[in-house]
Amino acid sequence: MDPVLSSVRLTVREAVHTLSSSEDGGCIVSTLESLKRYLGETENPALPAEQEEFARVHFSALLRCLVSKLSPDWLGLLPDGQLEELWASFFLEGPADQAFLVLMEALEDTPGPSFRLMKMARLLARFLKAGRMAAVMEGQCRQQAELAFPLLQEALLVRVVGLPDRLGNRLQHENLAEFFPQRYFPLLGEEAVRVLQAVVDSLRGGSDCSVSFVSQVVGKACVYGRQKEILGVLVPRLTALTQGSCLWQRVCWRLVECVPDRAMEAVLTGLVETAPGPHALSRLLGNLVLKSKKARFVMTQKLLFLQYRHTTPALQSLLGYLAMDSQRRPLLLQALKELMETWGSSSAIRHAPLDQQRYVSKAVLICLAHLGDAELQDSRDELLASLMAGVKCRLDSSLPAVRRLGMIVTEVASSRIHPEGPPLKFQYEEDELSCELLALAAPQPAADSPSEAGSPVTPVAAETPDKQTEEGGVPQVRPQGSDSELDSDDEFVPYDMSGDRELKSGKAPMYVRDCVEALTTSEDWERWEAALRALEGLVFRNPAATREVSVELAQVLLHLEEKTSVVGFEGLRQRALVAVTTTDPARVAEYLTSQFYAVNYSLRQRMDILDVLALAAQELSRPGRLGRTSQCGSPGPTCPPSCAGAPTWRAVVDERIRRKTRRFSKGSPRKGLAGSPNEFNAVAGYFFFPLIQGFDRPLVTFDLLGDDQLVLGRLAHTLGALMYLAVNTTVAVSMGKALLEFVWALRFHGDAYVRRGLLSAVSSVLLSVPAERLLEDLPDELLEARAWLADVAEKDPDDDCRMLAVKALLLLEKLRDKLLPLAPP
């Protein structure tokens, strides 16, 4: 055996024996100081071969011995903490990887809470503050492949990344702030930058290094869900360092390439979200998507089609990265084809959440902004077919947001895919989303800053030209000393003309029959408009006369078309129909429900019928309705002129008493509504049952279970509203049973608007039918509804459907709690 190595072993063995048995503080200090020469920290260091032998074979055993001796009595052998500082120096100055492993091993094995556990925790906090974690990772980066120890690297990797979890479980409430994930992982990112700087310096000096261990650390931290903490520090530093340095770019490329496949998705997702722009992302990744199949799948499939939570700047960075290199641009074109195929899929439109549809639409527009006409030339037919299929399905959707999304994307995409054709132009309401989508269609500026690379800011509208500017563009110069400001008309208060009404030559009808005649036969448009405006008031003031012609009047109003530009025509017609329905509810409701399933009606008329029935039912179920309806109609005197001359004697006496009485507290006067029966109780069946009976009978021009899903959704909402308004009525139980059967027949409908109506209907049943009757008459229906609601709340792609299902489940839970018998005391 080599005498040098045997002398080191003998020295360490004697030192360990002394430390284990001696109680003399001076002897312990001298022993520890003699061992420090093997760390190269003294004036007379040991030979390099001895230092290497000590670090490789004996250092861990010595540290375990020091940990075993840690106690208050042992540290008190010397005053002023001298022994503790000398003891801690071996952990802070020796080989970092072994010191870290021994510290973590001691922390995991030491029972707590105890003095030794807290001392070791504070020592580990000093270890982190001293930058020793960088030394741990750097030591693994400098090892040659043939000298690396896989088991040691795996043990280090698990403890480096899992340190916050392990110490949090071990220390519990006495955990130190340095070990919190919010502080530890940013520190780990800083240490990783230091290690990469050392690697770059070594490469410049001609020494070979590996970044594999740092890649594994970053990958495992991202898999643990700490992308924001570690990459939030790492990416800005690397973005600055790679700008103008090819060596740093190569190191970063290698850093991401060495990430294990199981962690590639987490790392790339974090980089895309954190990178300030496509240029920075390109410097960090290089042509990774061309070298790694896993990276290509994540960047071109997973982040585009299977995830939709990323922000618009992140999506711009991703697609801009694909567009920045000529070798990567074919991947961008292929991604556009697949995005358009998804955008045009009717199944995706029905089953994908609205947020995902917005995400795919943004991706389509960004791809079109990056691709040129020459690149789109060969794929125009394929892209145009997907575009036309998608816009057709979206315009048929029951959701306004889906329709508007289809209009915007089709306008922009058609102008790029088929520029020589006539431009498509739709009418839609502009909102924040539409402005953002239109801005994405423009080419993005090439910059790394978030303000430049993110969503472009909508330019501020141009200032209004000065009022003094003439049409020729030359501003008029105001003479000095002019009194024009004093003579301005702005000083005068404008006269209030808001209550003025335009004088009409025609006279408004005074009777309901005259209104019917004017609306059907009159060619005088002023008289026609006057009759329409006066009809609601006449119906309320003359209910007996209205009942004589109620069905005829409802028929006239249902088929009434706007012949002149009457302001608020739809509102006037609807209010008149509601007034007629509330005046003679049974007959008019029977007529309207029969016409809902009749032929030769437009979808607009059928939805008008549903709206009128719901509004009339709401009016009939409102308490105190008769007192209010008597006051409706055109204003007029409600008492003889003589009653306005002088107050009655009772009013005079009450006023004198009020003035002479002193009150210390006076609450706000409240006049309660007079009790009255629910008028909807007697006619609820006329409104409800005819509507629900014929939904599954297709007509030649009307098929609720086919293409007319918008009307089906409105029908479901209306039935739910009628059910809710029938609370406390005798027919509520029968209505609830029929409505649950209706819901059960359509529960798997593909349209989200229809499912929303069905879920609202279930909630209406739970709110309107008495709890006891629900469990007595509908127990099987409730069990089936509960299972269906739980499935919808968990799996439905529409956010509103999931929310409505959760609310219905909460109502079921309240129902169960209400009916549970009280436990005995």
Side-chain angles (χ1 to χ4, degrees):
M1 179 179 291
D2 190 346
V4 174
L5 301 182
S6 58
S7 65
V8 173
R9 183 176 63 179
L10 182 60
T11 303
V12 173
R13 182 181 297 175
E14 292 177 354
V16 170
H17 178 72
T18 302
L19 293 173
S20 302
S21 59
S22 176
E23 296 294 335
D24 184 2
C27 180
I28 293 174
V29 169
S30 62
T31 301
L32 292 176
E33 289 179 347
S34 66
L35 290 175
K36 291 198 68 174
R37 59 188 296 268
Y38 293 109
L39 299 178
E41 299 294 335
T42 60
E43 298 179 356
N44 185 23
L47 297 175
E50 293 179 338
Q51 294 184 26
E52 181 182 355
E53 170 69 12
F54 177 77
R56 184 171 56 87
V57 179
H58 307 291
F59 185 65
S60 296
L62 176 63
L63 292 182
R64 291 187 179 92
C65 177
L66 292 177
V67 168
S68 65
K69 295 300 296 180
L70 185 61
S71 65
D73 295 337
W74 190 79
L75 292 179
L77 295 176
L78 289 179
D80 301 330
Q82 300 178 22
L83 185 56
E84 180 179 355
E85 191 63 29
L86 183 59
W87 167 83
S89 64
F90 281 86
F91 292 90
L92 301 176
E93 298 170 3
D97 52 353
Q98 298 184 51
F100 177 71
L101 287 176
V102 171
L103 280 173
M104 291 298 296
E105 177 186 341
L107 285 167
E108 293 171 1
D109 296 339
T110 302
S114 63
F115 173 82
R116 178 181 297 177
L117 180 65
M118 295 310 300
K119 279 293 182 182
M120 299 300 297
R122 294 190 179 93
L123 178 59
L124 181 58
R126 289 182 59 188
F127 184 91
L128 297 178
K129 290 180 180 179
R132 299 292 288 165
M133 191 59 72
V136 172
M137 293 187 286
E138 185 179 348
Q140 301 303 312
C141 292
R142 293 187 181 277
Q143 286 185 354
Q144 300 296 327
E146 60 272 10
L147 298 178
F149 298 96
L151 293 179
L152 175 62
Q153 287 191 351
E154 184 64 26
L156 283 172
L157 179 63
V158 170
R159 286 167 173 80
V160 166
V161 180
L163 184 145
D165 294 336
R166 291 170 178 265
L167 292 186
N169 292 333
R170 195 73 189 87
L171 298 176
Q172 299 291 329
H173 297 292
E174 297 181 354
N175 195 12
L176 302 181
E178 290 81 1
F179 304 145
F180 290 170
Q182 295 80 4
R183 292 186 59 175
Y184 175 75
F185 284 103
L187 181 141
L188 194 60
E190 293 284 353
E191 300 293 83
V193 174
R194 291 179 55 191
V195 175
L196 295 177
Q197 182 66 60
V199 170
V200 170
D201 294 340
S202 297
L203 293 175
R204 286 172 178 165
S207 301
D208 193 13
C209 281
S210 170
V211 295
S212 176
F213 187 76
V214 182
S215 301
Q216 295 180 50
V217 170
V218 174
K220 203 170 190 66
C222 291
V223 168
Y224 279 16
R226 297 298 174 180
Q227 298 104 318
K228 183 178 179 181
E229 287 86 353
I230 190 169
L231 294 181
V233 173
L234 196 60
V235 170
R237 295 289 303 275
L238 295 181
T239 300
L241 291 171
T242 54
Q243 195 164 7
S245 175
C246 296
L247 182 57
W248 266 104
Q249 292 183 25
R250 287 173 54 199
V251 170
C252 290
W253 299 348
R254 188 62 182 167
L255 176 69
V256 186
E257 289 174 11
C258 292
V259 172
D261 284 350
R262 62 180 179 275
M264 185 65 74
E265 179 185 344
V267 173
L268 290 178
T269 302
L271 288 174
V272 168
E273 292 177 341
T274 312
H279 280 73
L281 191 61
S282 182
R283 293 199 303 269
L284 295 177
L285 299 182
N287 284 333
L288 179 68
V289 290
L290 303 177
K291 300 177 182 179
S292 170
K293 293 183 179 180
K294 179 70 173 180
R296 184 185 311 154
F297 172 75
V298 171
M299 298 287 280
T300 62
Q301 298 292 324
K302 199 72 175 286
L303 298 183
L304 293 178
F305 299 99
L306 303 180
Q307 298 179 5
Y308 54 92
R309 61 178 177 84
H310 307 293
T311 61
T312 302
L315 193 57
Q316 289 177 304
S317 296
L318 168 61
L319 298 173
Y321 160 75
L322 296 178
M324 287 199 61
D325 189 85
S326 59
Q327 297 180 359
R328 301 194 294 260
R329 291 185 74 85
L331 295 178
L332 180 65
L333 182 59
Q334 181 63 31
L336 175 61
K337 294 179 182 178
E338 297 177 1
L339 285 168
M340 288 299 301
E341 183 179 355
T342 302
W343 193 85
S345 171
S346 59
S347 177
I349 295 173
R350 288 195 306 268
H351 299 99
L354 184 58
D355 291 340
Q356 187 174 12
Q357 297 188 43
R358 292 194 188 104
Y359 186 80
V360 172
S361 301
K362 292 178 183 179
V364 168
L365 297 180
I366 295 173
C367 289
L368 290 172
H370 284 295
L371 291 170
D373 294 337
E375 295 172 300
L376 296 173
Q377 183 68 37
D378 296 336
S379 306
R380 281 187 176 179
D381 295 339
E382 180 182 352
L383 296 176
L384 195 59
S386 300
L387 180 66
M388 292 299 103
V391 69
K392 179 183 180 301
C393 296
R394 278 178 163 76
L395 292 180
D396 290 340
S397 174
S398 304
L399 302 178
V402 175
R403 296 197 295 270
R404 184 165 62 248
L405 200 62
M407 296 176 190
I408 298 172
V409 175
T410 304
E411 279 187 2
V412 176
S414 61
S415 63
R416 289 298 321 279
I417 298 173
H418 196 258
E420 60 272 9
L424 293 178
K425 187 64 178 176
F426 297 92
Q427 293 183 354
Y428 53 84
E429 181 181 356
E430 293 188 0
D431 56 0
E432 184 178 355
L433 176 63
S434 63
C435 295
E436 181 184 6
L437 291 175
L438 294 174
L440 290 177
Q444 300 300 318
D448 285 344
S449 63
S451 59
E452 296 180 4
S455 299
V457 181
T458 305
V460 181
E463 296 182 0
T464 306
D466 190 80
K467 295 181 180 180
Q468 303 296 329
T469 304
E470 296 180 348
E471 294 182 0
V474 180
Q476 295 181 353
V477 180
R478 180 178 297 173
Q480 295 182 1
S482 170
D483 294 335
S484 57
E485 293 185 358
L486 298 177
D487 296 338
S488 174
D489 291 340
D490 295 341
E491 299 177 3
F492 298 100
V493 179
Y495 186 77
D496 185 12
M497 302 178 64
S498 59
D500 292 3
R501 288 184 291 179
E502 184 181 356
L503 295 177
K504 300 289 183 180
S505 59
K507 188 177 181 181
M510 298 298 295
Y511 300 98
V512 175
R513 289 185 180 272
D514 293 343
C515 287
V516 175
E517 180 183 355
L519 293 175
T520 54
T521 63
S522 177
E523 295 294 335
D524 185 355
W525 304 127
E526 290 187 358
R527 183 167 177 261
W528 184 88
E529 180 180 348
L532 179 61
R533 293 187 180 278
L535 183 55
E536 181 186 7
L538 290 176
V539 168
F540 282 126
R541 287 201 303 271
N542 304 286
T546 301
R547 293 187 185 97
E548 295 178 1
V549 293
S550 58
V551 176
E552 180 184 357
L553 182 56
Q555 182 179 4
V556 171
L557 291 172
L558 183 61
H559 294 83
L560 193 64
E561 296 180 356
E562 184 178 5
K563 298 180 179 180
T564 61
S565 300
V566 179
V567 178
F569 168 77
E570 293 295 337
L572 292 171
R573 185 172 71 100
Q574 185 185 74
R575 289 197 297 272
L577 262 173
V578 172
V580 174
T581 308
T582 54
T583 303
D584 192 6
R587 295 174 58 200
V588 177
E590 185 177 3
Y591 167 75
L592 291 178
T593 52
S594 66
Q595 298 305 300
F596 180 76
Y597 290 107
V599 295
N600 298 330
Y601 278 92
S602 66
L603 299 183
R604 178 69 266 173
Q605 287 175 308
R606 299 183 198 275
M607 289 192 289
D608 288 342
I609 291 174
L610 295 176
D611 293 341
V612 168
L613 290 174
L615 291 173
Q618 182 180 5
E619 183 66 24
L620 289 170
S621 63
R622 192 173 298 171
R625 189 185 72 86
L626 295 177
R628 284 196 309 274
T629 55
S630 62
Q631 301 174 2
C632 295
S634 58
T638 57
C639 61
S642 59
C643 69
T648 61
W649 65 271
R650 175 65 64 185
V652 174
V653 172
D654 291 343
E655 179 65 20
R656 289 178 179 176
I657 293 175
R658 187 185 65 82
R659 290 180 180 179
K660 298 291 184 180
T661 305
R662 183 181 180 185
R663 293 180 174 87
F664 294 98
S665 176
K666 183 179 181 181
S668 57
R670 294 183 180 179
K671 184 178 180 180
L673 293 175
S676 61
N678 185 351
E679 295 182 66
F680 188 58
N681 181 18
V683 295
Y686 293 97
F687 283 71
F688 183 84
F689 291 109
L691 281 181
I692 205 171
Q693 287 174 354
F695 74 94
D696 56 348
R697 303 170 189 171
L699 302 176
V700 177
T701 59
F702 185 48
D703 186 8
L704 282 177
L705 300 183
D707 296 333
D708 300 325
Q709 54 193 11
L710 176 61
V711 185
L712 179 61
R714 185 68 67 86
L715 174 63
H717 283 86
T718 303
L719 291 173
L722 295 176
M723 182 73 248
Y724 178 74
L725 296 171
V727 61
N728 298 327
T729 62
T730 56
V731 75
V733 178
S734 300
M735 291 173 61
K737 188 170 184 179
L739 187 54
L740 286 180
E741 292 177 356
F742 172 81
V743 171
W744 197 249
L746 300 172
R747 66 190 185 280
F748 296 124
H749 200 280
D751 189 77
Y753 183 65
V754 176
R755 296 198 303 274
R756 293 178 191 175
L758 299 176
L759 292 166
S760 300
V762 173
S763 297
S764 299
V765 172
L766 297 176
L767 290 171
S768 301
V769 181
E772 297 79 4
R773 299 298 304 274
L774 276 174
L775 293 183
E776 289 177 4
D777 300 343
L778 307 172
D780 297 335
E781 287 85 350
L782 289 181
L783 290 176
E784 294 173 345
R786 179 183 177 84
W788 171 63
L789 290 172
D791 186 69
V792 172
E794 182 180 359
K795 301 177 182 178
D796 197 282
D798 187 71
D799 294 339
D800 291 336
C801 289
R802 293 197 299 270
M803 180 186 65
L804 290 172
V806 170
K807 291 182 177 179
L809 285 173
L810 291 176
L811 290 175
L812 274 175
E813 292 297 326
K814 290 181 180 178
L815 178 67
R816 187 194 66 177
D817 296 341
K818 181 179 179 181
L819 297 178
L820 281 178
L822 296 177

